[in-house]
Amino acid sequence: MHAVETLIVGAGQAGLAVSRCLTAQGADHVVVERGRIAERWRSSRWESLRLLTPNWMSRLPAWSYPGPDPDGYMTAPELAGLLEDYAGSFTAPVHENTTVELVETSGGGLRVITDQRTWLARNVVVATGTENRPYLPPAASGIHPGIRQLTASRYRGPDQVPGGVLVVGASASGVQIADELSRAGRPVVISVGRHARLPRHYRGHDILWWMDRAGVLGQTIDQVHDTRSARRAPSLQLSGRGRPIGLDALAAGGVRLAGRLVAADGPRLSFADDLPATTGGAQARLDRVLRTIDGYLARRGGEDAGPADPPAPFTAPAGPVELDLRRAGIGTVIWATGYQPAYPWLRVPVLDRHGQIAHSRGVTSVPGLYVLGLKFQYRRNSSFVDGVASDARFVAAHVMMRRMTARALAAADQDARELSA
């Protein structure tokens, strides 16, 4: 069994960020990754994907975007390369191709069994992100077996799905996939649930530039009324490909909009009659964000900003309540319905009734067990590449505090033994 002070599970942006913080403190640690550094960015993204965040937002502890296009949007392979360079910049102690099979308490620490070796660690940081297991709604099991089903994480491009497609889910992944398939000439229907509509640009800047400046992305979980709802909020309807991908643009391009998928009986699907309410709610949330930005500008005296140019309001009319996939020429359903937690290897009592790791700012109730990179872990941007740094510094500081406390207790115990001798 190998002993280490801290073991980090996952070598994506979260795991590497906390590794960089611990390296700066001279702390003994290792990072284990089931594949290569940034594996999820390499193997679970479609080919044309670009980040939703502009390149200048790729900020990590002691690191910022080094390239020539700060206002551009990286591809997934480019981000994987950037994270690999980041790991190399401080010689991160990453053990690639190492799968964690079990984490359990052992004596005064945590035992981590992997397919390569077993570690005894004083601290373990779970930095596996939020995309643990694709979520499939109950209706998926009712769809005819002759209809192909894919999750967004398995979708790679239009050539993979000939014929018509139903995309279920209208957050970032769903609208981007629907847009790509429609532009490739595929008949597309998109089933719309709760979503977050935003313009790519507003008043002369990227919308995320304004949300960063106005403090929207830095809002903490302590400032919201419903913690669980905040952490389950849909991802932003944005794209880094330089064109609008909102529902209004999709509808104008020929994509058929339907409400929330309710049930499936073979090739026949049923949808809720909720499109007007769902799109109206998204419009109201967009209006609130833009009012926040305008309020920030009013307080700052109108800093570098263009005129107000909000997108035209959009509320969709009622969509179909039933659809026969065969008659509509649809042979594939792509599930862009998000993810659910999955920690089958974590045999430590920290999961809540929803299967999530219960924590406060990444610190769990089990001494030495931490989590990092979750959605709205503490700030609204905690799961962004750009937002994980603050949480990583906090977790690393807590690890170092435990180290200092342990050393102080050991020194006090040694003094007591010497006095009694």
Side-chain angles (χ1 to χ4, degrees):
M1 187 179 296
H2 298 260
V4 67
E5 185 175 12
T6 300
L7 184 142
I8 301 164
V9 184
Q13 61 264 20
L16 294 176
V18 74
S19 175
R20 180 64 180 84
C21 294
L22 292 174
T23 296
Q25 299 287 337
D28 173 42
H29 72 284
V30 297
V31 184
V32 297
E33 167 57 53
R34 63 181 174 85
R36 297 162 292 174
I37 289 172
E39 181 60 38
R40 192 164 284 145
W41 289 105
R42 300 176 190 273
S43 59
S44 298
R45 300 290 188 267
W46 63 92
E47 294 171 0
S48 69
L49 174 71
R50 288 184 178 270
L51 268 64
L52 305 185
T53 53
N55 293 340
W56 63 264
M57 289 187 75
S58 300
R59 300 173 291 198
L60 290 161
W63 183 268
S64 59
Y65 171 72
D69 187 15
D71 295 319
Y73 305 88
M74 276 183 280
T75 64
E78 286 170 342
L79 178 61
L82 182 144
L83 292 175
E84 195 162 30
D85 290 344
Y86 179 56
S89 72
F90 61 96
T91 319
V94 179
H95 294 246
E96 295 183 305
N97 301 306
T98 300
T99 301
V100 172
E101 297 175 341
L102 180 67
V103 176
E104 62 183 0
T105 56
S106 179
L110 294 156
R111 182 167 61 176
V112 182
I113 299 175
T114 76
D115 60 353
Q116 301 297 322
R117 63 179 66 177
T118 298
W119 300 86
L120 183 61
R122 178 169 173 75
N123 309 291
V124 169
V125 181
V126 179
T128 53
T130 59
E131 299 176 10
N132 302 124
R133 178 185 297 161
Y135 169 71
L136 294 181
S141 61
I143 293 178
H144 191 280
I147 303 295
R148 186 182 187 193
Q149 299 188 52
L150 287 175
T151 60
S153 62
R154 292 177 55 208
Y155 171 76
R156 294 295 174 267
D159 292 343
Q160 186 184 17
V161 281
V165 181
L166 168 67
V167 178
V168 183
S171 290
S173 295
V175 292
Q176 289 181 85
I177 292 171
D179 173 68
E180 178 171 90
L181 290 169
S182 177
R183 288 174 179 272
R186 307 285 192 274
V188 177
V189 178
I190 185 167
S191 172
V192 178
R194 187 168 181 264
H195 58 280
R197 182 187 184 217
L198 282 178
R200 178 74 272 182
H201 294 92
Y202 182 63
R203 287 183 172 269
H205 291 285
D206 189 282
I207 189 66
L208 294 178
W209 189 89
W210 285 121
M211 292 173 73
D212 185 52
R213 295 289 285 266
V216 176
L217 298 181
Q219 184 183 28
T220 71
I221 200 69
D222 300 327
Q223 296 172 296
V224 302
H225 299 295
D226 186 343
T227 298
R228 178 165 168 75
S229 177
R231 286 176 169 155
R232 288 165 56 87
S235 56
L236 306 176
Q237 269 187 356
L238 293 174
S239 169
R241 296 196 61 80
R243 58 178 181 258
I245 45 81
L247 295 177
D248 52 343
L250 292 182
V255 174
R256 190 178 182 190
L257 308 186
R260 178 175 48 86
L261 179 61
V262 175
D265 182 9
R268 294 181 296 276
L269 273 57
S270 301
F271 300 93
D273 187 17
D274 60 355
L275 260 179
T278 302
T279 53
Q283 180 65 43
R285 288 187 288 276
L286 180 150
D287 292 341
R288 285 198 295 272
V289 171
L290 299 189
R291 283 198 301 270
T292 298
I293 293 169
D294 291 342
Y296 164 79
L297 281 168
R299 293 190 300 273
R300 298 282 297 195
E303 64 178 60
D304 181 24
D309 53 350
F314 177 73
T315 300
V321 294
E322 292 184 349
L323 181 70
D324 187 304
L325 296 179
R326 288 177 173 168
R327 289 181 180 176
I330 292 174
T332 303
V333 175
I334 297 179
W335 299 100
T337 43
Y339 295 83
Q340 58 189 357
Y343 305 100
W345 41 268
L346 188 59
R347 307 291 175 82
V348 183
V350 293
L351 300 183
D352 63 18
R353 64 189 181 90
H354 303 290
Q356 300 277 8
I357 297 177
H359 68 94
S360 175
R361 296 194 68 176
V363 181
T364 76
S365 60
V366 174
L369 184 66
Y370 302 88
V371 65
L372 193 62
L374 298 183
K375 193 170 186 178
F376 219 145
Q377 175 158 317
Y378 185 60
R379 290 178 171 81
R380 191 172 292 278
N381 62 353
S382 284
S383 59
F384 291 15
V385 174
D386 187 60
V388 74
S390 177
D391 292 326
R393 293 187 185 101
F394 183 86
V395 166
H398 201 281
V399 168
M400 299 308 296
M401 181 178 66
R402 271 177 48 82
R403 177 200 236 188
M404 291 179 1
T405 300
R407 288 182 175 179
L409 290 173
D413 184 61
Q414 178 66 28
D415 291 344
R417 286 199 299 270
E418 290 177 355
L419 288 172
S420 63

